Each structure stands twice: as structure tokens, then as C-alpha cells.
Amino acid sequence: MAIQGSCSDQFSAVGEAFSDSLRSGADVGASVAIFLDGEPVVDLWGGYADSERTRPWQRDTITNVWSTTKTMTALCALVLADRGELDLSAPVAKYWPGFGTGAKDRIEIRHLLSHTAGLPDWDQPMTLDDLCDWGKATALLARQSPRWEPGTASGYHRFTHGFLIGEVIRRVCRQSIGTFFADQIAAPLDADFHIGLTAEDDHRVSDVIPPPGPAPAANPRVAIPVSGYVTAKETWSAKWRRAEIPAASGYGNARSVAAVQSLLTSEGQTSRARLLSEATCRAVFDEQSHGTDLVLGIPLRFGVGYALNAGDAPVSTTNPHTCYWGGRGGSLVVNDFDSRMTIAYVMNQMTHLGLTDPRGHKLLQAAYKALTR
């Protein structure tokens, strides 16, 4: 199936790489978008919205992007910080008084955003029903003790990240994070991204397709294992779609991910709105940790809300001022401040490769070649 959308001549190599991925079968249905100086220069989609390959992926098709949702959650916190309503260096307990128990009084907001808070998992097994119960999920975290000294190392907060930051946001602005994101970020940018999906949007959803083959063996460098909790098939349920699980249950496509994240690479100003100051955008580069992540077992350098460019990182570019993150299965967003470029890749066919998925990396490489033309 031919790809659809628009692509500037400069970035034709991105279109070719995207077409190759669909033609080869590496992708079933997918989208890629690039914003340069806050304006779209690539907006492509193609393939199929279902594993049976009967429904074409349309312009408005959306899918669960898993942990790429975390970049949206981080932006919510940055917007509040920019308004002076949230101090990134303040103790979490300043906004969430019950959180300060269990040796957590020294955990700061920036620790939540950088996966260095020592709370990568719950101390008890959690079900999908538990994850959909905001009060229970956050109350349990408030009672826990950190698993390592906060601020000393990163340990990927796979699901807890969104509940921790989301509860702070809820207490600051008296809105759920899904509502805050929709009103304060998605609406001003006219971006089709959702943390908590309404039934009216169900017909547009392309359910994620589980990765083929067995999962790889556990990484021996993982010091602190955490639970996965949710299978790909469980995300096909209305329960998952309706829930606000702001570390993992966001729905969008490459266009909407890039439209929102390009706020950073356009210094907080787009043609539609100014939501951040340049100084707050640059705050993401305040390094919080750099080393082997205790949960993922891979080298990561974390700033505030994003992983940062580094030679030993799974995503590395020639431009130093680059931040990124991706989602389980392969979705990816990269913000390059030096070239003022944001690139996003969103797909339905999952793999086991995560941040090292070659599909997103090939698109990224093609984009950088285009910049040097």
C-alpha cells in the first residue's frame, strides 16, 4: 500500500525509508512526522490499522504509544513550572503532604521526572484494575519507601512515573492529568493526542499488535527488576483506553506527538500558541543522572523529563542538545534543539527492541542526512 501525506523535497529520504519499512513488512501500519522550526515538513502515514490488513491506516488513525506518553506527562509539569505553580527542585511533599513518609521527604519533583526517585514499582502486585484505580495506585506509592537513595541513580519508573507526576499535577491544579493535558496543551496546539480516550474515538484506534517471537532473556545488568503488569492484548480493552495511566496509555499518531513535542524545539512558541519560555524548554538539559539504569540495565543519561543525548545511549545524535524517549514496542520521539527539529514515529506492530528498534532509527538517520543536504 502506498504511503500518504506530505513530505518536503529536502526530507524525501525519510519518505523512502518509511515506504521501505512498510513494504518489507517490518511495519504493518505506521506514521512518521517531522517538525522543523515548529512547522511540519514531513507528515506521512500508511499500511494497515489491523493485523489482518483489512483496514487502511488513515490520516486520523491513532494508537497506544506506550511510554512515549511520558514525554506528554513531562510537558505538563514543565508548563506548570513555567507558570510558577510548580518548583522542580521542591520536595514532592510540598504539594502532596502524605508523600513525605517512608524516607521520601527528600524526594524532589525533578527526581520524579528523571526516574531517580527510587520508586520504580509498587511493593505489591498490581492488576489492570489496580492501575485504573487512581486513588489506590497513588496511595500505595505514598506509603512506600524508596528502593535506593533518591537522586543517586536512575531506575526506570515504568508505570509509577505517571502516577507520581500526575498526582502532583492533580494537587496543584485540581485537574486530572488527562484533563490538564487536553485543556492546556492539546487544545491550544490542536493536537490529536489523548491521555484517557473517549468512546467517540474508539473507531479511529489501531490496536497494537503483539511482538512476534519470544521475549529476550533478562538483561543481567538489571539490578532492580520491576513488573510489566499489562500485556499488549489488555490494551485492546475499553478499560485501558478510558483510564488515565500517564506513563503508558496515551493515544496519538506521529503528527500529534511531533506537534506537541516541537514546543521544545521551537522555544515554547508555535504558530498557534506560546506555552513555555525558552528557559523552561532548556531546563530539560539539567542532567540528573548518567550511568547504567538500575531497571533497564542499559546506559542512560536523564535530564528533567527526558533522556539526553550521550555517546553510550541507545539514541545518540551528532548534536549535543538532543532529548528523547520512546515507547514499548518501538514508538519514538526525538527533540533536537540545535537543528530545531522534532521527529516522531508511531506504529502498531510492536517489537521487543524498545529504544533500539531499527525502524525508528532508520527514519532518524534519514532525517539527519536530509539536514546536511
Side-chain angles (χ1 to χ4, degrees):
M1 175 177 286
I3 60 176
Q4 300 181 67
S6 60
C7 181
S8 72
D9 290 343
Q10 179 184 4
F11 289 90
S12 59
V14 176
E16 293 168 7
F18 184 58
S19 182
D20 287 346
S21 189
L22 287 164
R23 189 184 307 113
S24 70
D27 270 311
V28 175
S31 56
V32 59
I34 297 175
F35 278 56
L36 199 62
D37 287 314
E39 297 296 330
V41 293
V42 175
D43 180 13
L44 298 172
W45 61 91
Y48 297 91
D50 61 333
S51 58
E52 294 76 24
R53 300 176 185 251
T54 61
R55 290 193 296 124
W57 183 292
Q58 306 280 8
R59 184 181 189 278
D60 67 346
T61 296
I62 55 177
T63 192
N64 180 28
V65 301
W66 293 98
S67 287
T68 296
T69 310
K70 289 181 173 71
T71 64
M72 306 300 174
T73 299
L75 268 184
C76 290
L78 291 174
V79 166
L80 286 175
D82 197 67
R83 296 175 182 175
E85 298 178 46
L86 183 64
D87 181 351
L88 299 180
S89 295
V92 174
K94 174 181 176 180
Y95 307 98
W96 182 357
F99 182 84
T101 62
K104 298 196 301 301
D105 55 300
R106 295 188 304 279
I107 296 179
E108 299 175 5
I109 302 298
R110 62 191 176 93
H111 297 144
L112 304 185
L113 286 161
S114 60
H115 304 272
T116 61
L119 298 166
D121 204 353
W122 287 269
D123 286 345
Q124 66 179 55
M126 299 283 280
T127 65
L128 177 56
D129 285 342
D130 294 332
L131 292 177
C132 294
D133 184 339
W134 187 272
K136 179 176 183 178
T138 55
L140 288 172
L141 289 172
R143 292 199 292 265
Q144 287 185 199
S145 297
R147 298 188 180 183
W148 64 87
E149 179 64 27
T152 60
S154 77
Y156 187 49
H157 289 42
R158 185 168 291 152
F159 280 94
T160 59
H161 173 274
F163 287 103
L164 292 165
I165 298 169
E167 180 62 10
V168 170
I169 289 171
R170 187 186 73 82
R171 288 169 179 266
V172 169
C173 63
R174 304 303 179 191
Q175 286 183 303
S176 73
I177 190 167
T179 300
F180 180 86
F181 177 82
D183 292 348
Q184 304 297 319
I185 297 178
L189 299 175
D190 193 26
D192 186 17
F193 194 95
H194 312 266
I195 303 174
L197 197 67
T198 65
E200 290 76 19
D201 290 311
D202 280 348
H203 71 284
R204 303 193 290 125
V205 172
S206 172
D207 287 324
V208 295
I209 303 169
N219 187 336
R221 300 182 75 187
V222 169
I224 299 180
V226 301
S227 300
Y229 296 119
V230 179
T231 67
K233 290 183 178 180
E234 284 179 304
T235 69
W236 302 349
S237 66
K239 180 182 289 290
W240 173 266
R241 292 180 184 177
R242 305 293 173 263
E244 294 183 14
I245 303 174
S249 71
Y251 281 80
N253 49 38
R255 181 190 317 108
S256 61
V257 171
V260 174
Q261 291 299 312
S262 65
L263 268 175
L264 294 178
T265 53
S266 57
E267 299 178 347
Q269 174 74 57
T270 73
S271 58
R272 290 182 173 272
R274 171 171 286 284
L275 298 181
L276 293 170
S277 66
E278 181 182 354
T280 299
C281 292
R282 294 275 173 180
V284 302
F285 294 108
D286 183 7
E287 182 180 301
Q288 302 297 309
S289 67
H290 190 180
T292 300
D293 186 88
L294 300 177
V295 169
L296 296 180
I298 60 175
L300 285 171
R301 178 178 173 235
F302 274 112
V304 176
Y306 297 80
L308 305 181
N309 190 32
D312 58 354
V315 177
S316 182
T317 74
T318 55
N319 291 338
H321 296 103
T322 302
C323 65
Y324 67 93
W325 199 245
R328 178 181 174 187
S331 65
L332 179 68
V333 61
V334 176
N335 293 309
D336 185 329
F337 285 55
D338 295 326
S339 64
R340 296 174 62 87
M341 180 181 73
T342 293
I343 177 171
Y345 162 68
V346 168
M347 74 301 134
N348 54 16
Q349 176 62 68
M350 298 172 61
T351 73
H352 292 297
L353 300 174
L355 291 169
T356 62
D357 194 313
R359 297 172 298 176
H361 282 261
K362 288 177 181 177
L363 295 170
L364 185 62
Q365 290 162 9
Y368 275 102
K369 286 182 181 178
L371 288 174
T372 60
R373 287 179 57 182

